[in-house]
Amino acid sequence: MPQQPVLPVPDLAETCARYLKQVKPLLNDEDYAATAAAVRQFQTRSAPGLQAGLQAFAAETDRSWLIDAWLESYLKIRTPLPLASNVGFHIRTLGRDLGGWAAALAGVCADYHHGRISAPQTPQGAPVCMAQWQILRGAARVPQTGCDTFRIAETPSRHIGVLHNGFYYRIAALDENDEAYHPDTFRQAVAQILADSAENPFPVVVPCYPGGNQTARVYKALRSKEENAELADYLETDLFHISIYREESLNADEDLAYATFAKQQNIWCYKPTTFCYNTATERLFLHCEHTWEDGGTLKGIVALAAEKNGGKGRKAAPAISRHAWHLTPAQKKSWPQWQQNYAAQARKMRVKSVVIPFDGGSIPKGTSHDALMQFLLQYAQLTTYGDIRNTYEAVDVSHFAYGRTECVRPVSEESLAFVASLLQEKPAQSLLDAALAEHKARIKAAKTGQGANRHLLGLQLAAKRKNSHVPAFFKSTGYQTFSTDFLSTSTLGDDAVIINFAFAPTSPDGLGINYTLAQEGWLFTVSYPETQEREVAIFIEALKQGGSRLLVFFNPLPKEH
């Protein structure tokens, strides 16, 4: 297996300079002056000692100096996971039925087991770290009080789980040689499960949804009974789950919201990979618990499944068993209340998408679509809210050992200058060139492990490891602004296998935004609470207006003579 470089510890002075440059457009003059003074004090007093501590810590590990804190930041989330950090992906079915997809995904798990999956490469040709791919053994987040844990199956599983009508159906997915069964075996299994008309009045997945410590207490109580321990192990270690349900009359956005926020609680939301299939719309989704893996890894797994030709594997009668919890009277009494409490929260979440069509127009070769879409988000934010707040742009750094994502701050003085010219319908090429160059420089810094956000977080963690006083710098207005995401944005590039995805905003009044270079144009998918309905309607209209102006700029109408 290729050896990845470890995440570097950036130069302290360079990080402080990057921080000041990136936070400046977000602050007024008074707050920026105070922020600059706080940086000077931090850089000369406490920061050098913290930098030395971080460098020493990094030198002691062959993993990432950030990975343990990264995992802990997810595992300590105490709110229901679909409303906090889980993600829902809309998968392109490519004409394949659910049985075909189940067989293909099991085939990818078999390939991983037999070492047949080569490490993917970045566009620059660097192999990625395969640590995230361990979920193909069978894995799950495990509820615990205070901080959850994450379990990767000690022995790779041969089974998958299907959630339907409140039960957990366990299916043998791999044969005795750890190869996936033929798609017909999975089709028969799905048909048998759908033919079972029984409904469990106490659905297996409900304990997930109180969230945090309450889920941990319930799960511990369930697991303490010998007759429940087996089901708990299945939920945690089976290869992946499939949730099958029927919800009529949902458009694509509503269907994605249903699979992401799970208002009907039909997903064991502590599982990294649950494939959700709506039999009414015949749409396929992937609900992801986000602790161990990122979207790039999931896209890679789905892409490998899409490449499976569907004709391989041994045909056999499906081996299916049905499972439910053994509950106390008190637990049975609490079950419907937990369901109602979560449903009341989840039904407030919305997803709305919009495509800005190219309509035959073109973008100059070599121009970053990623940057252009970020500029349109700034255009929409200024139009909707009248000011600019912080944006998080995720950048994959899995080419480092145990690398996850780095944070890019795409709002710059250069981008705002270009966006202002677009708002005035006077876009200038020189302003666009400067904005594109700055965005490219920030992406490059992130890709090489030089991002300011993660480095400053590392210094903060170094202070906690020393049990020393956390410097006032980290409590300053500038740093709080810099580390709070009003727009949390992410992309997986094109829509070849994953059409779009949804996730809850990371701040109470913010928006979660996926942006995708679709075949027909720029696709934006906005996730938000219902209280933002009016603002999101304006935001989407502004995206359309800004996109139209940008396309006209690139494709001007011929002048009339």
Side-chain angles (χ1 to χ4, degrees):
M1 183 176 290
Q3 183 67 38
Q4 281 76 31
V6 295
L7 186 70
V9 176
D11 178 79
L12 179 61
E14 290 180 5
T15 287
C16 289
R18 284 194 180 100
Y19 164 69
L20 284 173
K21 184 174 185 178
Q22 292 175 23
V23 79
K24 186 176 182 180
L26 307 172
L27 301 173
N28 60 35
D29 291 345
E30 182 180 349
D31 286 339
Y32 180 73
T35 296
V39 168
R40 287 192 296 271
Q41 185 182 66
F42 176 62
Q43 196 171 351
T44 55
R45 295 186 183 179
S46 53
L50 299 179
Q51 175 80 347
L54 180 58
Q55 289 171 328
F57 179 75
E60 294 170 0
T61 181
D62 58 356
R63 308 197 327 158
S64 164
W65 53 262
L66 182 59
I67 188 61
D68 291 336
W70 178 284
L71 297 175
E72 185 179 89
S73 70
Y74 280 99
L75 295 171
K76 282 190 170 181
I77 292 172
R78 299 292 87 187
T79 50
L81 296 179
L83 306 180
S85 55
N86 286 14
V87 183
F89 300 86
H90 185 183
I91 296 174
R92 198 176 290 284
T93 57
L94 305 172
R96 184 180 289 169
D97 62 12
L98 180 58
W101 269 105
L105 292 158
V108 175
C109 294
D111 288 342
Y112 181 83
H113 176 81
H114 291 288
R116 296 191 292 248
I117 299 177
S118 300
Q121 292 190 340
T122 67
Q124 294 73 34
V128 306
C129 176
M130 294 294 284
Q132 295 181 42
W133 291 68
Q134 293 178 79
I135 60 172
L136 293 174
R137 294 172 60 93
R141 177 173 174 156
V142 181
Q144 302 282 352
T145 301
C147 182
D148 297 339
T149 56
F150 197 87
R151 180 183 181 185
I152 296 172
E154 300 79 10
T155 302
S157 176
R158 290 179 177 172
H159 292 77
I160 64 173
V162 176
L163 295 155
H164 180 62
N165 284 348
F167 291 105
Y168 186 79
Y169 296 84
R170 197 167 189 244
I171 303 173
L174 307 184
D175 63 20
E176 63 276 8
N177 296 316
D178 293 310
E179 298 290 359
Y181 284 107
H182 191 277
D184 286 349
T185 297
F186 291 89
R187 291 186 183 105
Q188 292 175 37
V190 169
Q192 289 182 29
I193 290 168
L194 291 177
D196 185 355
S197 60
E199 293 198 24
N200 182 4
F202 305 102
V204 165
V205 300
V206 167
C208 289
Y209 290 91
N213 293 337
Q214 188 175 359
T215 285
R217 288 191 293 269
V218 174
Y219 192 64
K220 182 179 179 180
L222 289 170
R223 243 192 178 287
S224 67
K225 296 181 71 170
E226 186 177 346
E227 56 267 45
N228 285 329
E230 186 177 64
L231 174 55
D233 277 334
Y234 293 161
L235 288 165
E236 293 174 13
T237 63
D238 282 347
L239 294 171
F240 56 86
H241 294 169
I242 298 172
S243 174
I244 307 176
Y245 50 88
R246 186 173 187 84
E247 285 295 321
E248 305 275 0
S249 305
L250 299 184
N251 63 34
D253 288 342
E254 293 165 340
D255 228 355
L256 177 56
Y258 190 95
T260 304
F261 303 115
K263 67 179 180 182
Q264 295 302 320
Q265 297 136 79
N266 49 8
I267 297 163
W268 186 258
C269 62
Y270 283 67
K271 195 74 174 173
T273 46
T274 300
F275 295 88
C276 305
Y277 189 72
N278 185 348
T279 60
T281 63
E282 298 184 344
R283 295 190 185 105
L284 180 67
F285 303 91
L286 167 57
H287 183 99
C288 153
E289 195 286 310
H290 196 14
T291 297
W292 194 265
E293 74 297 323
D294 294 315
T297 294
L298 294 171
K299 181 180 180 180
I301 290 170
V302 173
L304 288 178
E307 293 172 1
K308 297 285 182 184
N309 62 24
K312 296 183 179 179
R314 182 160 64 86
K315 292 185 179 182
I320 308 173
S321 56
R322 193 180 78 182
H323 305 270
W325 297 117
H326 295 265
L327 304 177
T328 65
Q331 288 168 337
K332 290 181 178 180
K333 186 177 180 181
S334 297
W335 228 254
Q337 190 59 55
W338 293 333
Q339 290 176 284
Q340 292 166 21
N341 290 349
Y342 179 78
Q345 299 175 70
R347 70 169 60 101
K348 296 176 182 177
M349 295 304 299
R350 302 283 186 272
V351 172
K352 190 169 290 187
S353 64
V354 61
V355 176
I356 300 168
F358 295 143
D359 286 336
S362 63
I363 306 299
K365 188 176 180 179
T367 302
S368 167
H369 284 273
D370 179 90
L372 295 179
M373 295 176 84
Q374 285 291 344
F375 301 161
L376 291 179
L377 290 171
Q378 294 171 37
Y379 182 104
Q381 189 181 165
L382 284 166
T383 301
T384 306
Y385 301 99
D387 60 3
I388 201 78
R389 283 177 276 181
N390 208 12
T391 297
Y392 173 101
E393 178 182 355
V395 173
D396 183 87
V397 290
S398 59
H399 53 288
F400 290 112
Y402 288 84
R404 298 294 297 270
T405 60
E406 177 56 276
C407 168
V408 165
R409 297 303 184 186
V411 176
S412 66
E413 292 185 311
E414 293 85 353
S415 69
L416 291 178
F418 173 70
V419 168
S421 74
L422 195 62
L423 283 163
Q424 296 162 8
E425 298 187 74
K426 297 178 181 178
Q429 186 65 48
S430 60
L431 295 177
L432 176 60
D433 290 343
L436 289 169
E438 179 60 24
H439 187 265
K440 182 177 181 180
R442 294 186 183 195
I443 294 289
K444 182 178 179 181
K447 280 286 189 183
T448 54
Q450 303 298 315
N453 261 80
R454 303 294 188 237
H455 186 199
L456 291 173
L457 173 61
L459 296 176
Q460 193 173 9
L461 293 170
K464 292 179 180 179
R465 275 194 295 273
K466 289 175 62 177
N467 292 319
S468 64
H469 176 71
V470 176
F473 167 80
F474 293 109
K475 301 173 185 176
S476 66
T477 298
Y479 187 74
Q480 293 301 311
T481 299
F482 187 66
S483 55
T484 301
D485 308 323
F486 178 64
L487 299 187
S488 182
T489 74
S490 185
T491 184
L492 289 176
D494 61 34
D495 63 348
V497 292
I498 291 177
I499 298 171
N500 60 346
F501 55 95
F503 54 95
T506 57
S507 59
D509 59 344
L511 305 175
I513 300 177
N514 158 237
Y515 57 104
T516 300
L517 179 57
Q519 297 171 20
E520 67 273 28
W522 293 314
L523 169 61
F524 293 91
T525 302
V526 184
S527 304
Y528 60 98
E530 63 181 5
T531 53
Q532 284 266 49
E533 193 77 59
R534 177 181 170 276
E535 289 83 357
V536 168
I538 298 170
F539 191 90
I540 284 178
E541 287 303 311
L543 284 173
K544 290 157 68 174
Q545 182 190 74
S548 175
R549 290 181 178 180
L550 192 53
L551 288 166
V552 168
F553 172 64
F554 287 129
N555 302 273
L557 296 172
K559 294 182 179 180
E560 295 183 3
H561 295 288

